[in-house]
Amino acid sequence: MKPMRVKVDDRCCQGHGLCNVEVPEIFKLRDEDGHAYVEGPEVPTGLQDAVRRAGANCPEQAIAVTD
Ligand code: F3S
């Protein structure tokens, strides 16, 4: 089974930060502009539901999840 992957589109992210509140293990915020990034695209099984929620809740729809 392929692992779930996630990425943040920096052109869309406006630094709302909800993703970091929801899943700080996955979504980090850059010091310089507060935009989100992921350190690695693969999402551990136990965090997948939370990452999907973060994707649904991002006001800019900047989070893309691929199964
Ligand atoms: Fe950016 Fe959306 Fe997170 S705007 S900081 S990806 S909630």
Side-chain angles (χ1 to χ4, degrees):
M1 205 170 89
K2 280 172 61 180
M4 176 180 161
R5 300 169 78 86
V6 65
K7 62 183 176 185
V8 176
D9 185 341
D10 192 54
R11 294 168 303 177
C12 298
C13 176
Q14 297 295 321
H16 294 291
L18 303 178
C19 56
N20 174 254
V21 172
E22 182 100 41
V23 205
E25 303 92 330
I26 295 289
F27 299 102
K28 313 292 180 186
L29 300 181
R30 292 201 304 248
D31 288 339
E32 58 269 33
D33 58 10
H35 286 199
Y37 65 95
V38 295
E39 286 178 335
E42 294 187 5
V43 181
T45 312
L47 295 176
Q48 293 184 354
D49 287 349
V51 165
R52 278 186 219 285
R53 260 198 315 276
N57 290 336
C58 172
E60 308 297 336
Q61 299 179 334
I63 297 170
V65 173
T66 323
D67 287 304

